[in-house]
Protein backbone atom coordinates (compact mmCIF):
# COMPACT_ATOMS: atom_id res chain seq x y z
CA UNK A 1 0.00 0.00 0.00
CA UNK A 2 1.22 3.50 -0.90
CA UNK A 3 0.15 5.85 1.94
CA UNK A 4 0.37 9.62 1.51
CA UNK A 5 0.04 12.00 4.45
CA UNK A 6 -1.45 15.42 3.65
CA UNK A 7 -1.81 18.04 6.38
CA UNK A 8 -4.67 19.98 4.76
CA UNK A 9 -8.15 18.97 3.59
CA UNK A 10 -9.56 19.50 0.08
CA UNK A 11 -6.33 18.32 -1.55
CA UNK A 12 -6.84 14.58 -1.12
CA UNK A 13 -8.67 13.95 -4.41
CA UNK A 14 -5.94 15.54 -6.56
CA UNK A 15 -3.18 13.87 -4.53
CA UNK A 16 -4.78 10.44 -4.81
CA UNK A 17 -5.45 10.82 -8.55
CA UNK A 18 -1.90 11.86 -9.43
CA UNK A 19 -0.11 9.40 -7.15
CA UNK A 20 -2.29 6.54 -8.43
CA UNK A 21 -1.55 7.57 -12.03
CA UNK A 22 2.21 7.37 -11.41
CA UNK A 23 1.99 4.19 -9.29
CA UNK A 24 -0.87 2.22 -10.92
CA UNK A 25 0.26 -1.05 -9.39
CA UNK A 26 -0.15 0.31 -5.84
CA UNK A 27 -3.21 0.63 -3.65
CA UNK A 28 -3.07 4.33 -2.73
CA UNK A 29 -4.51 5.77 0.49
CA UNK A 30 -4.41 9.43 1.49
CA UNK A 31 -4.20 10.22 5.20
CA UNK A 32 -5.77 13.59 6.15
CA UNK A 33 -6.22 15.33 9.55
CA UNK A 34 -9.99 14.74 9.54
CA UNK A 35 -9.63 10.94 9.64
CA UNK A 36 -10.49 8.98 12.76
CA UNK A 37 -7.48 8.70 15.07
CA UNK A 38 -7.35 4.91 15.00
CA UNK A 39 -7.37 4.94 11.19
CA UNK A 40 -4.63 7.57 11.09
CA UNK A 41 -2.44 5.55 13.44
CA UNK A 42 -2.93 2.45 11.34
CA UNK A 43 -2.02 4.19 8.08
CA UNK A 44 0.80 6.36 9.43
CA UNK A 45 2.92 3.25 9.98
CA UNK A 46 2.77 2.61 6.23
CA UNK A 47 3.41 6.22 5.18
CA UNK A 48 5.72 6.59 2.20
CA UNK A 49 5.05 10.17 1.20
CA UNK A 50 4.37 13.28 3.31
CA UNK A 51 3.00 16.57 2.03
CA UNK A 52 3.09 19.76 4.11
CA UNK A 53 1.19 22.79 2.80
CA UNK A 54 1.56 26.37 4.03
CA UNK A 55 0.85 29.93 2.93
CA UNK A 56 4.38 30.05 1.50
CA UNK A 57 4.23 26.85 -0.55
CA UNK A 58 4.64 23.12 0.02
CA UNK A 59 7.12 20.41 0.94
CA UNK A 60 7.09 16.80 -0.22
CA UNK A 61 9.08 14.08 1.51
CA UNK A 62 9.20 10.99 -0.69
CA UNK A 63 11.41 7.94 -0.18
CA UNK A 64 13.65 9.94 2.16
CA UNK A 65 14.20 12.87 -0.23
CA UNK A 66 12.73 16.36 0.23
CA UNK A 67 11.23 18.54 -2.52
CA UNK A 68 10.15 22.16 -2.01
CA UNK A 69 7.86 24.60 -3.81
CA UNK A 70 7.53 28.30 -3.06
CA UNK A 71 4.20 29.94 -3.85
CA UNK A 72 4.44 33.07 -5.99
CA UNK A 73 1.51 35.51 -6.23
CA UNK A 74 2.43 35.95 -9.88
CA UNK A 75 1.20 32.39 -10.45
CA UNK A 76 -2.35 33.51 -9.75
CA UNK A 77 -2.91 34.35 -13.41
CA UNK A 78 -6.18 36.19 -12.89
CA UNK A 79 -7.84 33.23 -11.19
CA UNK A 80 -9.10 32.98 -7.64
CA UNK A 81 -6.22 32.82 -5.18
CA UNK A 82 -7.10 29.45 -3.68
CA UNK A 83 -7.73 27.83 -7.06
CA UNK A 84 -4.47 29.24 -8.40
CA UNK A 85 -2.61 27.93 -5.34
CA UNK A 86 -4.10 24.48 -5.80
CA UNK A 87 -3.22 24.48 -9.52
CA UNK A 88 0.33 25.53 -8.62
CA UNK A 89 0.59 22.73 -6.09
CA UNK A 90 -0.64 20.18 -8.64
CA UNK A 91 2.08 21.31 -11.05
CA UNK A 92 4.64 20.89 -8.28
CA UNK A 93 3.34 17.44 -7.29
CA UNK A 94 3.20 16.28 -10.91
CA UNK A 95 6.74 17.43 -11.68
CA UNK A 96 8.04 15.85 -8.48
CA UNK A 97 6.47 12.49 -9.30
CA UNK A 98 7.68 12.79 -12.89
CA UNK A 99 11.26 13.31 -11.65
CA UNK A 100 11.07 10.44 -9.17
CA UNK A 101 9.49 7.89 -11.50
CA UNK A 102 10.81 9.03 -14.88
CA UNK A 103 7.26 8.75 -16.26
CA UNK A 104 5.26 11.29 -18.26
CA UNK A 105 1.45 11.34 -18.10
CA UNK A 106 -0.28 12.24 -21.38
CA UNK A 107 -2.74 14.54 -19.58
CA UNK A 108 -0.16 16.00 -17.21
CA UNK A 109 -1.56 17.17 -13.90
CA UNK A 110 -5.20 17.29 -15.02
CA UNK A 111 -7.34 15.16 -12.70
CA UNK A 112 -10.97 15.90 -13.68
CA UNK A 113 -13.14 13.90 -16.06
CA UNK A 114 -13.45 16.67 -18.67
CA UNK A 115 -10.03 17.77 -19.95
CA UNK A 116 -11.75 19.52 -22.88
CA UNK A 117 -13.43 21.96 -20.45
CA UNK A 118 -10.43 24.31 -20.55
CA UNK A 119 -10.46 24.51 -24.34
CA UNK A 120 -14.26 24.83 -24.44
CA UNK A 121 -14.29 27.78 -22.03
CA UNK A 122 -11.37 29.54 -23.71
CA UNK A 123 -13.00 29.17 -27.14
CA UNK A 124 -16.17 30.68 -25.66
CA UNK A 125 -14.02 33.61 -24.48
CA UNK A 126 -12.69 34.11 -28.01
CA UNK A 127 -9.19 32.78 -27.34
CA UNK A 128 -7.13 31.40 -30.22
CA UNK A 129 -5.90 27.84 -30.57
CA UNK A 130 -2.25 28.66 -29.87
CA UNK A 131 -3.08 30.42 -26.61
CA UNK A 132 -5.18 27.44 -25.55
CA UNK A 133 -2.43 24.96 -26.42
CA UNK A 134 0.03 27.04 -24.40
CA UNK A 135 -2.32 26.94 -21.39
CA UNK A 136 -2.41 23.15 -21.52
CA UNK A 137 1.38 22.95 -21.83
CA UNK A 138 2.50 25.54 -19.26
CA UNK A 139 -0.10 25.16 -16.54
CA UNK A 140 -0.96 21.50 -16.88
CA UNK A 141 2.02 19.75 -18.55
CA UNK A 142 -0.29 18.14 -21.12
CA UNK A 143 1.43 16.63 -24.15
CA UNK A 144 1.08 18.48 -27.44
CA UNK A 145 -0.84 15.54 -28.97
CA UNK A 146 -3.48 15.50 -26.21
CA UNK A 147 -3.78 19.30 -26.10
CA UNK A 148 -4.46 19.40 -29.82
CA UNK A 149 -7.04 16.63 -29.43
CA UNK A 150 -8.81 18.63 -26.70
CA UNK A 151 -8.95 21.78 -28.83
CA UNK A 152 -10.21 19.87 -31.87
CA UNK A 153 -12.97 18.16 -29.88
CA UNK A 154 -14.02 21.33 -28.04
CA UNK A 155 -14.56 23.04 -31.39
CA UNK A 156 -16.83 20.22 -32.58
CA UNK A 157 -18.73 20.16 -29.30
CA UNK A 158 -19.48 23.87 -29.54
CA UNK A 159 -20.77 23.48 -33.09
CA UNK A 160 -22.98 20.55 -32.12
CA UNK A 161 -24.39 22.31 -29.05
CA UNK A 162 -25.24 25.34 -31.17
CA UNK A 163 -27.80 23.14 -32.94
CA UNK A 164 -29.92 22.82 -29.80
CA UNK A 165 -30.16 26.41 -28.66
CA UNK A 166 -28.27 29.22 -27.00
CA UNK A 167 -25.98 29.25 -24.00
CA UNK A 168 -25.98 27.61 -20.58
CA UNK A 169 -29.19 26.03 -19.42
CA UNK A 170 -30.53 25.45 -22.96
CA UNK A 171 -33.74 26.78 -21.43
CA UNK A 172 -36.07 25.75 -24.22
CA UNK A 173 -34.67 22.26 -24.76
CA UNK A 174 -34.04 19.17 -22.66
CA UNK A 175 -33.19 15.49 -23.12
CA UNK A 176 -34.77 12.30 -21.83
CA UNK A 177 -32.82 9.35 -20.43
CA UNK A 178 -34.53 6.03 -19.69
CA UNK A 179 -32.58 3.41 -17.74
CA UNK A 180 -32.96 -0.37 -18.16
CA UNK A 181 -30.75 -1.85 -15.40
CA UNK A 182 -30.69 -5.46 -16.61
CA UNK A 183 -27.87 -7.38 -18.31
CA UNK A 184 -27.41 -10.95 -19.58
CA UNK A 185 -24.33 -11.24 -17.32
CA UNK A 186 -22.02 -8.86 -15.48
CA UNK A 187 -18.74 -8.23 -17.30
CA UNK A 188 -15.44 -8.46 -15.44
CA UNK A 189 -14.74 -4.70 -15.65
CA UNK A 190 -18.27 -3.45 -14.92
CA UNK A 191 -19.22 -1.53 -11.77
CA UNK A 192 -22.55 -0.14 -13.00
CA UNK A 193 -25.70 -1.07 -11.16
CA UNK A 194 -27.16 -3.88 -13.28
CA UNK A 195 -29.13 -7.00 -12.51
CA UNK A 196 -28.96 -10.45 -14.18
CA UNK A 197 -31.97 -10.78 -16.42
CA UNK A 198 -32.35 -14.47 -15.55
CA UNK A 199 -33.07 -13.57 -11.91
CA UNK A 200 -35.27 -10.52 -12.55
CA UNK A 201 -37.28 -11.76 -15.54
CA UNK A 202 -40.45 -11.98 -13.43
CA UNK A 203 -40.09 -8.33 -12.33
CA UNK A 204 -39.49 -6.80 -15.75
CA UNK A 205 -43.13 -6.13 -16.65
CA UNK A 206 -43.68 -4.47 -13.26
CA UNK A 207 -40.54 -2.42 -13.79
CA UNK A 208 -41.79 -1.21 -17.18
CA UNK A 209 -45.17 -0.34 -15.66
CA UNK A 210 -43.44 1.88 -13.07
CA UNK A 211 -41.10 3.32 -15.67
CA UNK A 212 -44.06 4.35 -17.81
CA UNK A 213 -45.64 6.08 -14.79
CA UNK A 214 -42.47 8.09 -14.26
CA UNK A 215 -42.18 8.86 -17.98
CA UNK A 216 -45.80 10.06 -18.04
CA UNK A 217 -45.13 12.51 -15.21
CA UNK A 218 -41.99 13.87 -16.91
CA UNK A 219 -43.87 14.34 -20.19
CA UNK A 220 -46.69 16.24 -18.50
CA UNK A 221 -44.34 18.43 -16.48
CA UNK A 222 -42.24 19.38 -19.54
CA UNK A 223 -45.04 19.51 -22.10
CA UNK A 224 -44.15 23.14 -22.94
CA UNK A 225 -40.44 22.44 -23.43
CA UNK A 226 -38.66 21.16 -26.53
CA UNK A 227 -37.39 17.57 -26.40
CA UNK A 228 -34.04 17.39 -28.26
CA UNK A 229 -32.81 13.85 -27.68
CA UNK A 230 -33.89 10.52 -26.19
CA UNK A 231 -31.42 7.96 -24.88
CA UNK A 232 -32.43 4.48 -23.68
CA UNK A 233 -29.45 3.06 -21.78
CA UNK A 234 -28.58 0.61 -19.06
CA UNK A 235 -27.60 -2.06 -18.39
CA UNK A 236 -28.64 -3.57 -21.66
CA UNK A 237 -32.04 -2.36 -22.91
CA UNK A 238 -32.30 -5.27 -25.36
CA UNK A 239 -32.56 -7.71 -22.45
CA UNK A 240 -36.24 -6.72 -22.67
CA UNK A 241 -38.37 -8.86 -24.95
CA UNK A 242 -39.47 -7.37 -28.27
CA UNK A 243 -42.98 -6.73 -26.98
CA UNK A 244 -41.68 -5.06 -23.84
CA UNK A 245 -39.40 -2.83 -25.88
CA UNK A 246 -42.26 -1.89 -28.15
CA UNK A 247 -44.53 -1.06 -25.19
CA UNK A 248 -41.88 1.12 -23.55
CA UNK A 249 -40.93 3.00 -26.72
CA UNK A 250 -44.57 3.46 -27.73
CA UNK A 251 -45.24 5.06 -24.34
CA UNK A 252 -42.45 7.58 -24.98
CA UNK A 253 -43.83 8.43 -28.43
CA UNK A 254 -47.40 8.69 -27.16
CA UNK A 255 -46.58 11.02 -24.27
CA UNK A 256 -43.88 13.27 -25.75
CA UNK A 257 -43.87 15.46 -28.83
CA UNK A 258 -41.04 13.69 -30.66
CA UNK A 259 -41.27 15.90 -33.76
CA UNK A 260 -38.39 18.01 -32.39
CA UNK A 261 -36.16 15.05 -31.43
CA UNK A 262 -32.85 15.23 -33.27
CA UNK A 263 -31.52 11.92 -31.98
CA UNK A 264 -33.24 8.79 -30.59
CA UNK A 265 -30.73 6.26 -29.29
CA UNK A 266 -31.07 2.77 -27.81
CA UNK A 267 -28.04 0.89 -26.52
CA UNK A 268 -28.57 -2.54 -28.05
CA UNK A 269 -25.10 -3.29 -26.73
CA UNK A 270 -24.67 -7.00 -26.14
CA UNK A 271 -24.92 -9.14 -29.27
CA UNK A 272 -26.26 -12.06 -27.19
CA UNK A 273 -29.35 -9.95 -26.42
CA UNK A 274 -30.07 -8.87 -30.01
CA UNK A 275 -32.70 -10.54 -32.18
CA UNK A 276 -34.33 -9.54 -35.45
CA UNK A 277 -37.68 -9.07 -33.69
CA UNK A 278 -36.15 -6.64 -31.19
CA UNK A 279 -34.38 -4.68 -33.91
CA UNK A 280 -37.61 -4.46 -35.88
CA UNK A 281 -39.44 -3.19 -32.78
CA UNK A 282 -36.80 -0.46 -32.33
CA UNK A 283 -36.97 0.50 -35.99
CA UNK A 284 -40.77 0.64 -36.03
CA UNK A 285 -40.74 3.02 -33.07
CA UNK A 286 -38.44 5.47 -34.80
CA UNK A 287 -35.15 4.68 -33.06
CA UNK A 288 -32.44 6.09 -35.31
CA UNK A 289 -29.21 5.29 -33.49
CA UNK A 290 -28.19 2.02 -31.82
CA UNK A 291 -25.02 0.39 -30.55
CA UNK A 292 -23.62 -3.08 -31.09
CA UNK A 293 -20.68 -3.27 -28.70
CA UNK A 294 -17.98 -5.93 -29.06
CA UNK A 295 -15.43 -4.30 -26.65
CA UNK A 296 -12.89 -6.60 -28.37
CA UNK A 297 -12.96 -9.00 -31.31
CA UNK A 298 -10.50 -11.42 -29.68
CA UNK A 299 -12.35 -14.50 -28.47
CA UNK A 300 -9.91 -15.36 -25.69
CA UNK A 301 -10.40 -11.90 -24.16
CA UNK A 302 -14.18 -12.11 -24.52
CA UNK A 303 -14.07 -15.33 -22.50
CA UNK A 304 -11.92 -13.73 -19.79
CA UNK A 305 -14.15 -10.66 -19.36
CA UNK A 306 -17.41 -12.62 -19.38
CA UNK A 307 -18.91 -11.43 -22.67
CA UNK A 308 -20.94 -14.45 -23.73
CA UNK A 309 -21.38 -13.40 -27.36
CA UNK A 310 -18.63 -14.58 -29.70
CA UNK A 311 -16.89 -12.26 -32.14
CA UNK A 312 -18.87 -13.98 -34.91
CA UNK A 313 -22.15 -13.22 -33.07
CA UNK A 314 -21.15 -9.55 -32.89
CA UNK A 315 -20.67 -9.46 -36.66
CA UNK A 316 -23.97 -11.28 -37.24
CA UNK A 317 -25.84 -8.81 -34.97
CA UNK A 318 -24.25 -5.84 -36.73
CA UNK A 319 -25.18 -7.02 -40.22
CA UNK A 320 -28.68 -7.94 -39.01
CA UNK A 321 -29.13 -4.35 -37.81
CA UNK A 322 -28.06 -3.10 -41.24
CA UNK A 323 -30.52 -5.48 -42.87
CA UNK A 324 -33.36 -4.14 -40.70
CA UNK A 325 -32.49 -0.62 -41.86
CA UNK A 326 -30.28 1.04 -39.26
CA UNK A 327 -27.83 3.50 -40.81
CA UNK A 328 -26.42 4.93 -37.57
CA UNK A 329 -24.69 2.18 -35.58
CA UNK A 330 -22.10 2.78 -32.87
CA UNK A 331 -19.56 0.24 -31.63
CA UNK A 332 -17.79 0.42 -28.26
CA UNK A 333 -14.22 -0.85 -27.81
CA UNK A 334 -12.09 -1.09 -24.67
CA UNK A 335 -8.29 -0.77 -24.79
CA UNK A 336 -6.15 -2.25 -22.02
CA UNK A 337 -8.20 -5.41 -21.49
CA UNK A 338 -6.40 -8.33 -19.78
CA UNK A 339 -3.60 -9.69 -21.90
CA UNK A 340 -4.25 -7.45 -24.92
CA UNK A 341 -1.41 -5.59 -26.59
CA UNK A 342 -0.93 -3.93 -29.95
CA UNK A 343 -1.41 -7.13 -31.97
CA UNK A 344 -4.78 -7.89 -30.37
CA UNK A 345 -5.99 -4.29 -30.69
CA UNK A 346 -4.95 -4.22 -34.35
CA UNK A 347 -6.91 -7.42 -34.96
CA UNK A 348 -10.01 -5.86 -33.36
CA UNK A 349 -9.73 -2.65 -35.38
CA UNK A 350 -9.20 -4.54 -38.65
CA UNK A 351 -12.42 -6.51 -38.12
CA UNK A 352 -14.35 -3.41 -37.02
CA UNK A 353 -13.18 -1.49 -40.11
CA UNK A 354 -14.51 -4.33 -42.27
CA UNK A 355 -17.96 -3.94 -40.66
CA UNK A 356 -17.81 -0.14 -41.09
CA UNK A 357 -19.93 1.23 -38.20
CA UNK A 358 -20.97 4.89 -38.27
CA UNK A 359 -19.38 5.82 -34.95
CA UNK A 360 -16.84 4.32 -32.61
CA UNK A 361 -16.36 4.88 -28.89
CA UNK A 362 -12.88 3.93 -27.72
CA UNK A 363 -12.63 3.43 -23.95
CA UNK A 364 -9.45 3.14 -21.92
CA UNK A 365 -10.03 0.41 -19.35
CA UNK A 366 -10.76 1.84 -15.89
CA UNK A 367 -10.23 -0.41 -12.88
CA UNK A 368 -13.27 0.22 -10.69
CA UNK A 369 -13.11 -0.71 -7.03
CA UNK A 370 -16.57 -2.33 -7.18
CA UNK A 371 -15.82 -4.47 -10.25
CA UNK A 372 -14.56 -8.04 -10.32
CA UNK A 373 -11.64 -6.70 -12.39
CA UNK A 374 -10.22 -5.12 -9.23
CA UNK A 375 -9.86 -8.56 -7.67
CA UNK A 376 -8.51 -9.94 -10.95
CA UNK A 377 -5.77 -7.29 -10.97
CA UNK A 378 -4.78 -8.15 -7.41
CA UNK A 379 -4.45 -11.80 -8.41
CA UNK A 380 -2.78 -11.32 -11.82
CA UNK A 381 -1.00 -7.96 -11.57
CA UNK A 382 -1.64 -4.61 -13.23
CA UNK A 383 1.07 -5.34 -15.81
CA UNK A 384 -1.48 -7.52 -17.63
CA UNK A 385 -3.39 -4.32 -18.55
CA UNK A 386 -1.32 -2.80 -21.35
CA UNK A 387 -2.90 0.33 -22.75
CA UNK A 388 -0.17 2.38 -24.44
CA UNK A 389 0.41 5.24 -26.86
CA UNK A 390 0.68 2.53 -29.50
CA UNK A 391 -2.72 0.96 -28.82
CA UNK A 392 -4.38 4.39 -28.64
CA UNK A 393 -2.88 5.31 -32.03
CA UNK A 394 -4.06 2.03 -33.58
CA UNK A 395 -7.62 2.90 -32.49
CA UNK A 396 -7.35 6.48 -33.76
CA UNK A 397 -5.98 5.25 -37.09
CA UNK A 398 -8.85 2.76 -37.37
CA UNK A 399 -11.32 5.60 -36.85
CA UNK A 400 -9.56 7.62 -39.57
CA UNK A 401 -9.77 4.66 -41.95
CA UNK A 402 -13.53 4.75 -41.39
CA UNK A 403 -13.68 8.47 -42.20
CA UNK A 404 -14.42 9.42 -38.59
CA UNK A 405 -13.35 12.41 -36.51
CA UNK A 406 -13.12 12.72 -32.69
CA UNK A 407 -16.05 14.66 -31.20
CA UNK A 408 -16.23 14.00 -27.46
CA UNK A 409 -13.83 12.96 -24.74
CA UNK A 410 -13.84 12.19 -21.04
CA UNK A 411 -11.73 10.48 -18.43
CA UNK A 412 -12.31 8.28 -15.39
CA UNK A 413 -10.39 7.33 -12.29
CA UNK A 414 -7.74 4.61 -12.52
CA UNK A 415 -7.64 4.46 -16.30
CA UNK A 416 -5.13 2.12 -17.86
CA UNK A 417 -2.16 4.17 -19.10
CA UNK A 418 -3.78 7.37 -17.74
CA UNK A 419 -5.40 7.91 -21.15
CA UNK A 420 -8.99 8.82 -22.07
CA UNK A 421 -12.25 7.73 -23.66
CA UNK A 422 -12.88 9.20 -27.11
CA UNK A 423 -15.97 9.18 -29.29
CA UNK A 424 -15.35 9.14 -33.07
CA UNK A 425 -18.03 9.53 -35.74
CA UNK A 426 -18.60 10.14 -39.41
CA UNK A 427 -19.93 13.48 -40.55
CA UNK A 428 -23.61 13.78 -39.63
CA UNK A 429 -23.42 10.91 -37.12
CA UNK A 430 -22.01 12.73 -34.08
CA UNK A 431 -23.83 11.64 -30.91
CA UNK A 432 -25.70 14.68 -29.59
CA UNK A 433 -26.68 13.14 -26.24
CA UNK A 434 -23.06 12.14 -25.53
CA UNK A 435 -21.97 15.77 -25.76
CA UNK A 436 -24.97 17.10 -23.83
CA UNK A 437 -24.43 14.74 -20.89
CA UNK A 438 -20.68 15.39 -20.83
CA UNK A 439 -20.69 19.18 -21.12
CA UNK A 440 -23.70 19.59 -18.77
CA UNK A 441 -25.24 22.32 -20.89
CA UNK A 442 -28.81 21.02 -20.87
CA UNK A 443 -31.32 19.55 -18.43
CA UNK A 444 -31.48 15.75 -18.53
CA UNK A 445 -34.73 14.22 -17.26
CA UNK A 446 -33.81 10.67 -16.24
CA UNK A 447 -36.28 7.87 -15.48
CA UNK A 448 -35.63 4.41 -14.08
CA UNK A 449 -33.77 2.70 -11.25
CA UNK A 450 -30.35 4.25 -10.57
CA UNK A 451 -30.89 7.14 -12.98
CA UNK A 452 -29.88 10.72 -12.12
CA UNK A 453 -31.82 13.72 -13.38
CA UNK A 454 -29.86 16.96 -13.81
CA UNK A 455 -31.55 20.35 -13.90
CA UNK A 456 -29.31 22.92 -15.61
CA UNK A 457 -30.19 26.57 -14.97
CA UNK A 458 -29.40 29.52 -17.27
CA UNK A 459 -26.68 30.75 -14.89
CA UNK A 460 -24.91 27.36 -15.02
CA UNK A 461 -26.17 26.10 -11.65
CA UNK A 462 -26.84 22.33 -11.70
CA UNK A 463 -29.11 20.40 -9.33
CA UNK A 464 -29.41 16.62 -9.28
CA UNK A 465 -32.00 14.10 -8.14
CA UNK A 466 -31.16 10.40 -7.89
CA UNK A 467 -33.54 7.46 -8.11
CA UNK A 468 -32.94 4.43 -5.90
CA UNK A 469 -30.69 1.84 -7.55
CA UNK A 470 -32.38 -1.35 -6.39
CA UNK A 471 -35.05 -2.55 -8.85
CA UNK A 472 -37.37 -3.94 -6.15
CA UNK A 473 -37.18 -0.72 -4.16
CA UNK A 474 -37.79 1.33 -7.29
CA UNK A 475 -40.97 -0.64 -7.96
CA UNK A 476 -42.11 -0.27 -4.35
CA UNK A 477 -41.23 3.44 -4.13
CA UNK A 478 -42.19 4.74 -7.57
CA UNK A 479 -44.42 7.39 -6.01
CA UNK A 480 -41.45 8.72 -4.05
CA UNK A 481 -39.32 8.76 -7.20
CA UNK A 482 -41.95 10.84 -9.01
CA UNK A 483 -42.15 13.23 -6.07
CA UNK A 484 -38.38 13.73 -6.15
CA UNK A 485 -38.63 14.50 -9.83
CA UNK A 486 -41.47 16.96 -9.17
CA UNK A 487 -39.34 18.85 -6.62
CA UNK A 488 -36.42 19.05 -9.06
CA UNK A 489 -38.35 19.94 -12.22
CA UNK A 490 -40.74 22.39 -10.61
CA UNK A 491 -38.05 24.20 -8.59
Amino acid sequence: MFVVEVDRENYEYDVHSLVKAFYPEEQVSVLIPEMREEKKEQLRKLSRMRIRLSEEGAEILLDGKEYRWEWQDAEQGGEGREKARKDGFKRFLYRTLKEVTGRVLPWGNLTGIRPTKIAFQMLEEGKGNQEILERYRVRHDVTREKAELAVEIAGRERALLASVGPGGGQEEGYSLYVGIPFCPTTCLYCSFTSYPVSVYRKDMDSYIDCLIREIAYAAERYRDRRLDSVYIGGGTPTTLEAGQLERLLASVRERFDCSTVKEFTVEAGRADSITKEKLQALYRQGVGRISVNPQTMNQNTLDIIGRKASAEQVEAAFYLAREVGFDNINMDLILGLPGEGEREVQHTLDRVVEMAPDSLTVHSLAVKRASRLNQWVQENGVSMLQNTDGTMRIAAEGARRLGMVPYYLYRQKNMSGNFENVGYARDGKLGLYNVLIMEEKQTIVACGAGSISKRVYPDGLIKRSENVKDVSQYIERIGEMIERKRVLLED
Side-chain angles (χ1 to χ4, degrees), residues 191-245:
S191 65
F192 290 132
T193 302
S194 64
Y195 300 89
V197 67
S198 59
V199 175
Y200 283 84
R201 182 73 68 187
K202 66 183 186 306
D203 296 318
M204 291 172 75
D205 280 323
S206 296
Y207 179 77
I208 294 170
D209 291 340
C210 295
L211 197 51
I212 290 173
R213 278 186 61 190
E214 192 178 9
I215 286 169
Y217 171 76
E220 174 61 23
R221 176 63 189 86
Y222 267 26
R223 64 186 180 278
D224 297 325
R225 296 275 292 272
R226 185 190 70 240
L227 181 60
D228 287 325
S229 70
V230 179
Y231 194 100
I232 316 292
T236 306
T238 43
T239 52
L240 300 181
E241 297 298 332
Q244 293 170 328
L245 278 169

Side-chain angles (χ1 to χ4, degrees), residues 53-205:
L53 292 140
S54 68
E55 292 301 309
E56 290 73 36
E59 297 177 359
I60 294 176
L61 185 65
L62 175 58
D63 292 341
K65 189 173 180 180
E66 191 174 90
Y67 303 84
R68 293 178 178 271
W69 167 64
E70 184 176 338
W71 161 251
Q72 302 289 333
D73 281 337
E75 295 185 49
Q76 184 165 336
E79 301 174 15
R81 184 179 176 83
E82 185 55 34
K83 182 181 185 306
R85 187 201 303 278
K86 183 175 282 191
D87 285 347
F89 166 73
K90 285 171 65 177
R91 288 195 294 275
F92 166 57
L93 176 60
Y94 173 80
R95 291 169 184 176
T96 299
L97 293 171
K98 175 183 172 183
E99 178 182 334
V100 171
T101 65
R103 295 188 62 212
V104 173
L105 303 183
W107 288 102
N109 63 53
L110 290 177
T111 53
I113 68 166
R114 293 166 54 204
T116 57
K117 181 179 179 180
I118 295 167
F120 194 100
Q121 289 181 338
M122 291 183 73
L123 287 171
E124 292 278 278
E125 295 165 3
K127 308 294 186 185
N129 287 359
Q130 286 307 312
E131 184 177 353
I132 300 171
L133 292 173
E134 191 70 1
R135 169 77 66 86
Y136 277 107
R137 184 185 68 82
V138 174
R139 294 200 188 184
H140 303 291
D141 291 290
V142 175
T143 66
R144 178 85 183 187
E145 180 183 12
K146 297 304 180 186
E148 289 175 345
L149 179 63
V151 172
E152 180 182 359
I153 287 174
R156 288 201 180 90
E157 287 180 328
R158 289 181 72 226
L160 191 60
L161 290 176
S163 71
V164 293
Q170 304 289 344
E171 192 58 34
E172 292 301 317
Y174 72 103
S175 291
L176 174 69
Y177 174 85
V178 179
I180 308 298
F182 306 108
C183 273
T185 58
T186 300
C187 298
L188 182 71
Y189 51 78
C190 186
S191 65
F192 290 132
T193 302
S194 64
Y195 300 89
V197 67
S198 59
V199 175
Y200 283 84
R201 182 73 68 187
K202 66 183 186 306
D203 296 318
M204 291 172 75
D205 280 323

Side-chain angles (χ1 to χ4, degrees), residues 292-463:
V292 179
N293 299 332
Q295 316 303 12
T296 175
M297 295 297 284
N298 295 285
Q299 191 59 51
N300 183 57
T301 312
L302 288 169
D303 294 338
I304 291 172
I305 65 177
R307 301 281 285 192
K308 297 303 182 183
S310 67
E312 287 70 29
Q313 282 178 290
V314 170
E315 290 183 342
F318 178 86
Y319 290 121
L320 183 59
R322 286 290 198 224
E323 179 187 320
V324 167
F326 287 99
D327 62 0
N328 192 352
I329 304 176
N330 176 74
M331 301 192 92
D332 280 9
L333 303 177
I334 300 178
L335 305 187
L337 288 169
E340 289 211 351
E342 291 188 16
R343 183 179 64 179
E344 290 76 17
V345 172
Q346 188 66 64
H347 172 74
T348 291
L349 265 298
D350 288 343
R351 292 187 70 171
V352 167
V353 168
E354 287 179 11
M355 286 184 279
D358 305 285
S359 59
L360 192 63
T361 307
V362 179
H363 299 270
S364 294
L365 181 68
V367 182
K368 302 288 188 167
R369 186 179 300 177
S371 70
R372 291 184 295 115
L373 177 62
N374 191 37
Q375 180 63 37
W376 188 95
V377 168
Q378 293 178 37
E379 294 171 357
N380 295 275
V382 75
S383 62
M384 290 292 288
L385 312 179
Q386 304 173 42
N387 201 15
T388 64
D389 284 315
T391 53
M392 294 294 289
R393 289 192 180 110
I394 289 169
E397 176 58 27
R400 280 192 291 272
R401 287 161 62 192
L402 288 165
M404 297 179 185
V405 293
Y407 75 96
Y408 88 108
L409 181 154
Y410 68 101
R411 301 178 70 216
Q412 296 167 279
K413 287 184 179 180
N414 304 332
M415 297 187 83
S416 178
N418 200 244
F419 288 107
E420 67 280 339
N421 303 325
V422 184
Y424 298 90
R426 291 175 173 163
D427 186 40
K429 306 293 185 180
L430 280 62
L432 174 62
Y433 181 85
N434 290 331
V435 175
L436 287 170
I437 194 71
M438 193 53 53
E439 291 302 326
E440 297 185 314
K441 296 292 185 180
Q442 187 183 74
T443 291
I444 307 290
V445 179
C447 300
S451 66
I452 303 174
S453 294
K454 293 193 294 186
R455 175 80 182 275
V456 179
Y457 293 82
D459 62 359
L461 174 68
I462 298 174
K463 291 186 179 180

